[in-house]
Amino acid sequence: MGDALFEIDPDIRVARTLPARVYSDPEIFRLQRERLFARTWHYAGHDDLVKVAGQVHPFTLLPGALDEPLLLTRDQKDQLHCMSNVCTHRGTLVVEGPGHEQQLRCRYHGRRFALDGRFHSMPEFERTVNFPSPSDDLPAVSLGGWTRFLMVSLAPAMPFDELVSPMRARLDGLPFSQLAFDAAGARDYFVNANWALYIDNYLEGFHIPYVHSSLATTLDYGEYAVELQRFSVMQLGIAKPGEPAFALPRGHPDHERAVAAYYFWLFPTTMFNVYPWGVSVNLVTPLAVDRTRVSFLPFVWDASKRDAGAGAGLDRVEREDEVIVESVQLGVRSRLYERGRYSPAREGGVHHFHRLLAEFMRG
Ligand code: FES
Ligand SMILES: [Fe+2]
């Protein structure tokens, strides 16, 4: 893998964008699994999934890219845990569905584990030497919580707090404890494009006037703002006069602004879009080099504000993004396109993402 492939000049004025191959080469997609996805934080669920002691919730982390069977639990001491869901005997999946348990028991040969993942007992192992040992426990997985949302990482290259601290600074004080998941409003979109093209598109408001005519009527394009952090990007959608916005208290950094939406992207696959009605969690799941699932999960704290402003009509905006991103996927396969340049005024977020992607892919 030539290093020039992952060189992005830190100076956006002279930099060139990621080479087209990065979005279409199956070998690069394969390398991203260990170099990027295994080392970063991904959304695992919300705390209601493991609300009471004894509750267990198995899930697959990034199906298509990591395919890692994991398990969330809340133990009898009310502590949350994330661990491997693979039995340390011969590798069966331990928990097959969500439920309530006193203990975990593998249905293959009856090995038992405590809810914190520690080995408990195993029949017919009396003559096995040096058994049990710590390697018979279910491996623990790093778990982080921000408000109601849980994220996990197999081998985190950055502390969870560093990832979420920009959200804490901006969003503390909003009524996260009142959020209710709107399961009926959740949707999965399947996009025929590389996951990183979807992220590129998310990270700039540049295309809003061209691609999203409805969104453009509620947002002030001139005031749209982008702030870069080490492992995240925040975009601020500012409401046009008379359009819905947060009422932020005195002392809040955005008190003077009519914020219609906070768009937080956490490197590499998670987005928290925060509107006056609540939070739309958008998850980008890379299924294959040219196929991506985008999940929209709505969490509501004020349903009366759902149908107005930048946070309304999200399905239409998503379909508009999908069409444009699929068009880019066709373009990056061209023999006649190699890489582009950035607008320093409008594409700081895209440049920042490309720098991070390059940093992780260089290893
Ligand atoms: S594989 Fe779990 S007990 Fe044998
Ligand atoms: Fe868009």
Side-chain angles (χ1 to χ4, degrees), residues 44-59 69-86 94-105 113-118 138-144 150-152:
H46 54 104
D47 58 4
D48 280 349
L49 296 172
V50 278
K51 196 176 182 134
V52 298
Q55 216 166 344
V56 299
H57 177 80
F59 68 103
L70 299 182
L71 179 67
L72 287 171
T73 67
R74 189 182 288 273
D75 69 17
Q76 307 303 346
K77 293 183 204 128
D78 220 26
Q79 294 298 305
L80 286 179
H81 302 272
C82 185
M83 64 198 73
S84 169
N85 192 23
V86 177
V94 180
V95 176
E96 304 200 49
H100 297 259
E101 310 284 352
Q102 294 287 331
Q103 259 186 355
L104 310 175
R105 188 177 69 92
F113 304 90
L115 288 173
D116 63 4
R118 248 174 296 188
L138 295 172
V141 172
S142 298
L143 173 66
L150 305 174
M151 296 181 73
V152 299

Side-chain angles (χ1 to χ4, degrees), residues 8-225:
I8 303 290
D9 199 292
D11 182 350
I12 190 171
R13 297 169 309 159
V14 302
R16 292 188 304 148
T17 62
L18 279 175
R21 245 184 84 196
V22 173
Y23 303 104
S24 59
D25 184 336
E27 174 64 9
I28 293 176
F29 183 71
R30 200 185 58 74
L31 285 172
Q32 286 173 348
R33 293 176 181 181
E34 302 319 313
R35 292 191 189 175
L36 173 60
F37 298 127
R39 298 172 57 216
T40 47
W41 293 87
H42 306 279
Y43 183 84
H46 54 104
D47 58 4
D48 280 349
L49 296 172
V50 278
K51 196 176 182 134
V52 298
Q55 216 166 344
V56 299
H57 177 80
F59 68 103
T60 303
L61 184 63
L62 292 197
L66 291 176
D67 289 299
E68 191 62 51
L70 299 182
L71 179 67
L72 287 171
T73 67
R74 189 182 288 273
D75 69 17
Q76 307 303 346
K77 293 183 204 128
D78 220 26
Q79 294 298 305
L80 286 179
H81 302 272
C82 185
M83 64 198 73
S84 169
N85 192 23
V86 177
C87 181
T88 49
H89 177 220
R90 279 180 28 219
T92 317
L93 299 193
V94 180
V95 176
E96 304 200 49
H100 297 259
E101 310 284 352
Q102 294 287 331
Q103 259 186 355
L104 310 175
R105 188 177 69 92
C106 178
R107 69 188 175 108
Y108 201 176
H109 316 93
R111 180 169 293 197
R112 289 173 187 269
F113 304 90
L115 288 173
D116 63 4
R118 248 174 296 188
F119 173 92
H120 177 268
S121 59
M122 175 88 191
E124 314 291 353
F125 264 56
E126 291 77 11
R127 286 172 24 226
T128 307
V129 176
N130 291 336
F131 180 87
S133 76
S135 65
D136 299 300
D137 299 337
L138 295 172
V141 172
S142 298
L143 173 66
W146 169 69
T147 70
R148 308 286 302 285
F149 304 108
L150 305 174
M151 296 181 73
V152 299
S153 178
L154 298 180
M158 72 290 285
F160 181 71
D161 283 338
E162 186 174 5
L163 187 69
V164 299
S165 62
M167 294 198 294
R168 291 198 171 119
R170 247 19 196 265
L171 304 175
D172 270 8
L174 292 173
F176 289 98
S177 63
Q178 294 167 33
L179 283 179
F181 178 49
D182 170 19
R187 268 200 74 169
D188 281 346
Y189 299 89
F190 291 88
V191 187
N192 290 314
N194 183 265
W195 69 278
L197 285 182
Y198 191 89
I199 305 289
D200 288 355
N201 177 71
Y202 178 88
L203 288 175
E204 46 94 347
F206 193 10
H207 69 276
I208 293 174
Y210 302 98
V211 174
H212 304 304
S213 54
S214 61
L215 185 57
T217 64
T218 83
L219 288 183
D220 184 333
Y221 183 71
E223 292 296 312
Y224 198 88

Side-chain angles (χ1 to χ4, degrees), residues 240-302:
K240 282 187 174 165
E243 290 290 327
F246 285 98
L248 296 164
R250 210 173 293 280
H252 189 283
D254 304 315
H255 172 64
E256 301 286 319
R257 305 202 248 199
V259 178
Y262 286 97
Y263 302 107
F264 275 97
W265 165 75
L266 307 187
F267 176 68
T269 57
T270 310
M271 296 139 177
F272 291 102
N273 304 322
V274 186
Y275 304 107
W277 60 257
V279 184
S280 173
V281 180
N282 296 2
L283 309 176
V284 174
T285 306
L287 300 174
V289 66
D290 56 358
R291 188 146 167 89
T292 300
R293 184 180 70 197
V294 181
S295 306
F296 274 41
L297 308 177
F299 294 84
V300 182
W301 56 46
D302 184 350

Side-chain angles (χ1 to χ4, degrees), residues 294-325:
V294 181
S295 306
F296 274 41
L297 308 177
F299 294 84
V300 182
W301 56 46
D302 184 350
S304 72
K305 299 204 170 85
R306 193 94 183 256
D307 296 321
L314 298 180
D315 177 69
R316 170 179 171 170
V317 172
E318 166 57 27
R319 285 181 283 117
E320 290 165 345
D321 281 325
E322 231 170 275
V323 169
I324 202 78
V325 167

